[in-house]
Amino acid sequence: MKAAPEAQLRLLDLQELDTALDRLDHRRRALPELAEIAHAENRLRELGDALVAAQTEISDIDREQKKAEQDVDQVRARAERDQKRLDSGQVSSARDLENLQSEITSLQRRQSDLEEIVLEVMERREEAETRLRAVEADRETGDKALAELTARRDAAYREIDGEAELTKQARAGVVTDIPGDLLKLYDKLRDQQRGVAAAALLRGQCQGCHLQLNTVELNEIRAAAPDDVIRCEECRRILVRTKESGL
């Protein structure tokens, strides 16, 4: 392949711009905020699960408390009915009086036990509410932290995208100075060579693979026409001759 020396030199400008774009793309994908956002989002998911669990626990306790209070009301109502019967004098049999008094005493003990259960349930509900408030506070803090991280990420994106846009505009200007067949080869090598398709020959060394060319290779390059497109024998990148090539 042949191309004017000036066009070959423009490959180095193009390579520099493409390398800058690659760096910007890597910087965009490797922003520290991205890992922090992923951690924050995972933490918020955990807090969301904890929030549901805390709310469910309170709901369960509320049902338990309602049932316990209903039990207390039922026992109290029954004890009050028995006490009214006792006070009314409707029961005259000594045996029936004894049984009624015994039942009232038993109901009072049962009521006391149930009231203890209600108090214990209320204490558990208070503890559950404390846990719920703590989870809600953590979630609020997490939401604020995520919002701040997202804002920082978006600001970094805008900065990087702005630099990339300017670089792309400069690249478009360089591309017009490079023949189509040479540009096609360059693009093909970019895919094959991890982004670096053209490298300068600097003091007898390929700046693509950083290997020193031997005497035979340098002599072949010296003998080549100025418009010959040279390839590095080692890495197969386009080797661009400059004033500092050492030829």
Side-chain angles (χ1 to χ4, degrees):
M1 181 181 294
K2 290 183 176 292
E6 296 79 8
Q8 294 188 46
L9 285 171
R10 290 296 270 167
L11 281 180
L12 297 180
D13 296 331
L14 182 61
Q15 181 64 73
E16 183 178 353
L17 292 169
D18 281 338
T19 299
L21 287 172
D22 290 342
R23 284 196 297 266
L24 288 170
D25 181 63
H26 175 75
R27 179 181 161 195
R28 198 181 200 279
R29 289 182 286 106
L31 284 173
E33 287 82 4
L34 297 179
E36 294 178 45
I37 285 173
H39 177 75
E41 289 175 339
N42 184 62
R43 176 58 178 159
L44 283 173
R45 283 193 292 270
E46 293 176 351
L47 289 171
D49 293 340
L51 184 64
V52 171
Q55 292 170 336
T56 301
E57 181 184 12
I58 289 177
S59 179
D60 292 342
I61 291 174
D62 284 344
R63 285 194 295 271
E64 184 180 352
Q65 181 177 343
K66 183 177 180 180
K67 175 64 168 58
E69 290 173 344
Q70 288 174 343
D71 291 342
V72 170
D73 291 340
Q74 290 175 354
V75 171
R76 181 186 296 115
R78 183 174 176 182
E80 289 175 353
R81 286 197 302 270
D82 287 351
Q83 187 65 48
K84 287 180 179 178
R85 286 183 62 201
L86 183 64
D87 294 341
S88 68
Q90 295 176 356
V91 181
S92 57
S93 167
R95 183 179 181 83
D96 291 342
L97 284 172
E98 183 180 352
N99 290 337
L100 187 58
Q101 288 173 335
S102 177
E103 182 176 348
I104 290 172
T105 301
S106 177
L107 289 170
Q108 288 173 340
R109 285 197 300 268
R110 176 60 177 161
Q111 179 179 333
S112 178
D113 292 341
L114 290 173
E115 287 172 343
E116 287 293 328
I117 292 174
V118 170
L119 289 175
E120 184 271 333
V121 172
M122 291 174 66
E123 289 175 359
R124 284 195 287 117
R125 192 187 195 286
E126 184 176 346
E127 293 170 356
E129 285 181 336
T130 300
R131 289 192 292 272
L132 176 61
R133 287 193 294 271
V135 172
E136 289 173 338
D138 288 344
R139 190 175 184 182
E140 182 178 354
T141 300
D143 284 334
K144 290 179 180 178
L146 179 59
E148 292 173 0
L149 287 169
T150 301
R152 280 166 45 193
R153 179 203 62 190
D154 292 346
Y157 276 168
R158 287 191 294 272
E159 178 184 349
I160 293 170
D161 293 345
E163 292 181 28
E165 182 58 32
L166 292 175
T167 305
K168 288 176 182 178
Q169 291 175 8
R171 185 186 192 279
V174 172
V175 165
T176 60
D177 297 332
I178 301 173
D181 56 348
L182 183 59
L183 183 62
K184 184 177 180 180
L185 174 62
Y186 170 87
D187 290 335
K188 179 181 178 181
L189 291 174
R190 277 262 298 163
D191 292 336
Q192 297 174 352
Q193 300 291 344
R194 299 180 181 179
V196 179
L201 177 62
L202 180 62
R203 291 185 289 277
Q205 184 186 70
C206 171
Q207 296 304 293
C209 58
H210 300 286
L211 289 180
Q212 193 74 30
L213 276 65
N214 59 43
T215 303
V216 173
E217 291 169 336
L218 289 174
N219 285 335
E220 289 177 351
I221 295 174
R222 289 189 185 99
D227 61 351
D228 283 341
V229 175
I230 306 298
R231 302 277 295 277
C232 175
E233 292 295 333
E234 180 64 30
C235 67
R236 302 306 298 161
R237 293 181 172 94
I238 299 171
L239 201 55
V240 180
R241 289 165 283 180
T242 69
K243 293 179 180 180
E244 293 78 29
S245 292
L247 298 175

